[in-house]
Amino acid sequence: MIVPVTNMTNLYGRDLITTQDWSVAEIEKALSLAFEFKANRYDHPLNNCLDRRTFFMFFYNPSVRTRQSFEAAATELGGHAQFLEPKSMRLKSSKSAGETVEDAAQVMSRYAVGIGIRILETAIDYYGQGEELLRQYAENASIPIVSMAHDKFHPFQGLADVMGYRQHAGKNLKGKKILQVWGKGALVRSWCSVQESLLINSRLGMDVTLAYPKGYDLDPEVIKMCEDNAAASDSTFEIVHDLEEGYKGADIVYSRNWMTANFYDLMAKHGEAEAKKKEIEIAAKYDDWITTKDWMKKSNNAFFTHCGPVDRNAEVTDEVCDGPRSIVYDVAEARLHVQKAVMALTMGKH
Ligand code: CP
């Protein structure tokens, strides 16, 4: 039986730039509706809540999962998702004259019911600039602004990660140990997915162990938020630089490459291609930092997860990624359901 989510109005019109901006009750409401959408994909009372409405997807950087799952989400809710790129719009930037964010946000608000924005490292000059842009849109738009991944956070990925864990490890994640481990690789990844995941996991009471080689520190402000989240949810948050310690007793293993904090300086000095080359050279030194069957044996028969795209045989071996404990495709599917839930709650007719 479908139990429709009631009292939808309190999220109507809300932005989603990071799950940290929402209360635990609001996060739970979105997750609960996402499970309803999964169970009743084409047969839910809210399946027409975006009837004849448009959602703008504004991409500064490319994507597989995000574009496709948002487009599918809009379709499944009876609406339409329109793909936009900065090159197809005459926007003001530090390098060119054009329309201000203030004007663009207000004009776009007259056409659509929500705007998603993706802006990552290679489209900005310094860490935090992507988040500033999203918050500037949010201040000026009269419709919800949602992050489709920016330099700091990736809220829909964090929600999808949790949906995947709950599907396999049970609804109550309190006391489950999650290892979030850096992996070597050639893709020079953003901090957004791992930082979002650390926030939501510590918020929901998981015992979080973050493991990485020295030199791969994440944003200290985000780490402080995770420590505060863990204290508030009576769970633990720790950072280790030792793989043995990290894998020991883990119920879920989440591997992911990320770049060093130096990437922005490298990009300013040498350009994107050379900066990436230098990062790849540094990462290649950490040969052990790949999730293998042997490392997984040290865990508590952990599920393996990755937010994608996977850098196979760099971050994780094929054997683990395709193994019986891997939940990577379920997490990818969860993107669709959590996005439908947030769109219905924040943008849907009610
Ligand atoms: N995880 C994620 O956001 O994937 P894409 O970059 O393919 O959208």
Side-chain angles (χ1 to χ4, degrees):
M1 192 183 106
I2 301 166
V3 183
V5 169
T6 53
N7 190 18
M8 289 181 57
T9 49
N10 67 350
L11 278 167
Y12 185 74
R14 284 282 293 279
D15 304 312
L16 181 56
I17 293 175
T18 165
T19 55
Q20 192 75 16
D21 292 343
W22 283 21
S23 69
V24 170
E26 289 163 346
I27 291 170
E28 290 294 357
K29 182 180 272 194
L31 286 167
S32 161
L33 182 56
F35 273 104
E36 283 185 29
F37 277 133
K38 180 174 166 57
N40 304 281
R41 182 148 171 195
Y42 302 110
D43 184 26
H44 189 283
L46 294 177
N47 263 4
N48 218 24
C49 70
L50 290 190
D51 181 29
R52 285 165 289 167
R53 287 153 172 81
T54 298
F55 173 71
F56 287 144
M57 304 182 295
F58 189 12
F59 279 97
Y60 284 78
N61 296 87
S63 150
V64 170
R65 271 147 292 274
T66 304
R67 178 178 176 182
Q68 293 169 16
S69 55
F70 265 106
E71 199 157 334
T75 303
E76 292 185 18
L77 295 177
H80 169 68
Q82 186 178 137
F83 178 70
L84 302 169
E85 287 179 293
K87 70 178 183 211
S88 62
M89 297 159 75
R90 207 166 21 215
L91 295 173
K92 187 174 174 181
S93 75
S94 57
K95 297 176 188 102
S96 63
E99 189 157 14
T100 62
V101 169
E102 288 82 352
D103 285 340
Q106 289 181 69
V107 170
M108 289 161 89
S109 300
R110 301 290 177 106
Y111 305 139
V113 289
I115 305 172
I117 302 175
R118 165 167 288 203
I119 182 160
L120 296 170
E121 295 66 41
T122 51
I124 55 179
D125 298 325
Y126 56 88
Y127 175 71
Q129 195 181 18
E131 168 115 342
E132 283 167 17
L133 183 85
L134 264 94
R135 298 216 180 261
Q136 211 184 347
Y137 266 94
E139 261 172 44
N140 289 284
S142 57
I143 55 176
I145 300 298
V146 299
S147 170
M148 299 192 301
H150 61 281
D151 47 353
K152 287 179 94 166
F153 301 120
H154 195 350
F156 292 101
Q157 190 59 58
L159 288 166
D161 294 337
V162 170
M163 187 173 180
Y165 312 154
R166 285 192 171 164
Q167 201 181 324
H168 293 276
K171 180 156 192 244
N172 186 5
L173 297 172
K174 195 148 179 51
K176 300 263 184 218
K177 172 175 172 177
I178 181 161
L179 167 66
Q180 301 203 228
V181 58
W182 181 90
K184 61 185 177 169
L187 293 184
V188 192
R189 310 283 191 151
S190 173
W191 291 0
C192 64
S193 296
V194 68
Q195 292 196 153
E196 184 70 52
S197 181
L198 291 168
L199 283 179
I200 193 167
N201 295 339
S202 56
R203 200 96 184 284
L204 297 181
M206 298 184 80
D207 290 334
V208 179
T209 298
L210 175 63
Y212 56 84
K214 286 186 179 154
Y216 281 91
D217 292 337
L218 293 166
D219 182 342
E221 281 181 20
V222 174
I223 297 301
K224 173 77 174 66
M225 284 189 235
C226 293
E227 288 164 355
D228 292 347
N229 286 348
S233 68
D234 197 22
S235 59
T236 60
F237 178 82
E238 62 170 358
I239 295 177
V240 301
H241 302 296
D242 178 77
L243 285 166
E244 193 91 31
E245 209 180 327
Y247 279 93
K248 194 174 163 195
D251 299 296
I252 297 168
V253 170
Y254 170 120
S255 76
R256 178 71 166 170
N257 171 262
W258 63 83
M259 61 195 198
T260 69
N262 201 28
F263 181 71
Y264 292 93
D265 283 347
L266 289 173
M267 211 166 54
K269 277 192 204 129
H270 307 288
E272 182 184 330
E274 193 59 24
K276 284 187 169 166
K277 199 168 144 220
K278 286 182 189 298
E279 285 279 338
I280 293 164
E281 279 165 15
I282 301 164
K285 287 192 292 187
Y286 299 100
D287 215 33
D288 263 2
W289 291 75
I290 172 171
T291 300
T292 61
K293 205 171 168 184
D294 284 344
W295 283 123
M296 290 296 279
K297 276 187 195 149
K298 298 183 187 290
S299 74
N300 183 27
N301 193 24
F303 292 106
F304 173 77
T305 188
H306 190 291
C307 55
V310 182
D311 194 355
R312 282 170 174 266
N313 300 308
E315 294 167 316
V316 57
T317 60
D318 284 341
E319 196 177 24
V320 173
C321 195
D322 299 327
R325 303 296 280 173
S326 173
I327 62 169
V328 294
Y329 298 130
D330 285 334
V331 166
E333 181 192 321
R335 287 290 304 275
L336 171 73
H337 306 304
V338 299
Q339 286 158 205
K340 282 173 74 177
V342 171
M343 289 165 97
L345 290 165
T346 62
M347 305 166 201
K349 62 181 175 189
H350 61 290

